[in-house]
């Protein structure tokens, strides 16, 4: 029995979204064409624009999906555990993503450096993704300070931004070397020097 | 009096090299074509391949020039000053490059995230650029420890790698936001938390 058209259509959209996330992460924005994505998705030719307005629109979808999978919810106090435990769990989780760092890096960091300045909505989406991450980490750092688990008088948002920077740079170095060691060292140094 | 051909030729090579460094830094590797570079250099059409074997060859030239301008010589003990003073001067210098970070980021970091894994010589050149930087910083950290200016028992190379990562990630965030604040915060947190 053939699927109703609406289900087939939803399937095509999902496959385009999946293929884009994979290819943008591996080859970058400029290194991936709409044609590449359609081919990888096995989508019928000419259906792309039924689902996405542009390559940029699809890249926004990739940024949203990637950001949603970075474990920010692990920082939320609803998770239980002390604030420092939640921060450490989150950092351990993103460090665990390093298995693919040697090939792919972090999608947010890749887009941040690849997309030219003033390129509009995609760059803004990447910046907003960093912003949400820094904000969530800053809240947890403040909670850890209030609980006496962390000390120091830098603004929590500044310290959180530094942690995000350190991770992104480690992911970039891992991608350049094809070796995840830099990301593992990020975890070791951050827990020893920053989470104090 | 017309210039001898060899001088005109050297001038064209230099202009291609200058234009490539500028465009690769601003728009990335995939975002810059040989045609763009030839046009920006005002070079006679068809002369490109008299000077460079490929776009990749020209990108290697850009990486070498960019790396040579990152102030690694400031870390060398021939510069005088204490090891910690030399490290701080170097970090202040690279932080000062942040005036353009909002538009361009760091060329090494941009290429690291943009160039796909296993892409060969260009990726290796970027990795080697990071490697020389980490090695020079590690030597200075060891000297600072021997002089009693720095403490801590992490391998110096690991700590140096973390500093380079933190800088690269800050440059990426500055590029995403169009604002150099993340790079200035890199300097503040690194001097307070890492150079101890």
């Amino acid at each position: 029995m053939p699927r109703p058209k609406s289900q087939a259509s939803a399937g095509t959209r999902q496959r385009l979204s999946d293929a884009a996330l994979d290819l943008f992460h591996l080859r970058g924005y400029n290194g991936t064409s709409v044609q590449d994505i359609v081919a990888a998705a096995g989508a019928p030719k000419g259906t792309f624009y039924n689902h996405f307005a542009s390559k940029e629109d699809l890249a926004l979808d990739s940024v949203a999906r990637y950001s949603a999978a970075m474990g920010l919810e692990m920082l939320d106090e609803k998770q239980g555990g002390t604030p420092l435990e939640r921060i450490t769990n989150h950092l351990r989780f993103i460090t665990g993503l390093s298995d693919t760092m040697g090939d792919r890096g972090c999608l947010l960091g890749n887009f941040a450096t690849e997309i030219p300045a003033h390129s509009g909505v995609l760059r803004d989406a990447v910046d907003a993704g960093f912003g949400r991450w820094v904000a969530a980490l800053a809240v947890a750092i403040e909670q850890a300070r209030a609980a006496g688990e962390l000390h120091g008088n830098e603004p929590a948002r500044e310290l959180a931004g530094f942690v995000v920077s350190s991770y992104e740079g480690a992911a970039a170095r891992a991608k350049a070397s094809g070796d995840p060691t830099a990301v593992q060292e990020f975890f070791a140094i951050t827990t020893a020097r920053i989470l104090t």
Side-chain angles (χ1 to χ4, degrees), chain A residues 25 62-64 66-67 70 105-114 125-133 164 168:
Chain A
H25 199 183
S62 294
V63 168
Y66 192 87
S67 296
M70 294 190 79
C106 167
L107 182 73
L108 288 186
N110 295 354
F111 274 6
T113 53
E114 186 186 0
V126 171
D127 187 40
F130 285 141
R132 282 189 300 272
W133 190 6
V164 168
E168 290 299 335

Side-chain angles (χ1 to χ4, degrees), chain A residues 130 134-135 137-138 141 155-167:
Chain A
F130 285 141
V134 171
L137 203 47
I141 287 170
R157 202 211 53 74
E158 191 170 321
L159 206 62
F162 182 83
V163 171
V164 168
S165 290
S166 303
Y167 175 77

Side-chain angles (χ1 to χ4, degrees), chain A residues 10-11 13 24 38 41 56 60 82 86-88 91 100 104 109 130 132 135 144-145 168 184 186:
Chain A
R13 190 186 199 286
F24 284 141
V38 169
E56 188 178 59
L60 289 171
T82 72
R86 286 184 265 121
I87 294 170
T88 306
L91 297 186
T100 60
R104 293 168 181 251
F130 285 141
R132 282 189 300 272
R145 283 176 172 173
E168 290 299 335
Q184 291 149 6
F186 151 81

Side-chain angles (χ1 to χ4, degrees), chain A residues 138-154:
Chain A
V139 167
I141 287 170
E142 279 171 355
Q143 291 169 340
R145 283 176 172 173
E149 293 184 303
L150 292 181
H151 311 279
N153 51 16
E154 304 98 338

Side-chain angles (χ1 to χ4, degrees), chain A residues 5-191:
Chain A
K5 189 182 174 195
S6 63
Q7 280 189 25
S9 185
T12 300
R13 190 186 199 286
Q14 185 66 42
R15 290 204 309 277
L16 288 167
S17 170
D18 291 347
L21 181 56
D22 186 55
L23 289 174
F24 284 141
H25 199 183
L26 188 59
R27 298 189 201 161
Y29 184 76
N30 289 318
T32 303
S33 68
V34 167
Q35 170 88 13
D36 293 336
I37 294 163
V38 169
K45 281 183 188 175
T47 61
F48 179 84
Y49 294 98
N50 298 342
H51 301 285
F52 294 96
S54 61
K55 184 170 104 167
E56 188 178 59
D57 187 34
L58 192 49
L60 289 171
D61 176 78
S62 294
V63 168
R65 287 183 60 184
Y66 192 87
S67 296
M70 294 190 79
L72 297 197
E73 72 283 357
M74 301 176 80
L75 294 166
D76 195 290
E77 55 193 333
K78 291 180 208 151
Q79 296 295 315
T82 72
L84 182 57
E85 284 168 354
R86 286 184 265 121
I87 294 170
T88 306
N89 286 342
H90 168 67
L91 297 186
R92 191 177 287 117
F93 173 77
I94 59 169
T95 298
L97 302 176
S98 68
D99 290 344
T100 60
M101 288 291 173
D103 286 332
R104 293 168 181 251
C106 167
L107 182 73
L108 288 186
N110 295 354
F111 274 6
T113 53
E114 186 186 0
I115 308 299
H118 316 301
S119 79
V121 292
L122 182 53
R123 184 163 170 266
D124 290 349
V126 171
D127 187 40
F130 285 141
R132 282 189 300 272
W133 190 6
V134 171
L137 203 47
V139 167
I141 287 170
E142 279 171 355
Q143 291 169 340
R145 283 176 172 173
E149 293 184 303
L150 292 181
H151 311 279
N153 51 16
E154 304 98 338
R157 202 211 53 74
E158 191 170 321
L159 206 62
F162 182 83
V163 171
V164 168
S165 290
S166 303
Y167 175 77
E168 290 299 335
R173 287 178 55 226
K175 189 168 179 191
S177 67
D179 174 344
T181 302
V183 182
Q184 291 149 6
E185 292 175 354
F186 151 81
F187 182 80
I189 303 279
T190 298
T191 49

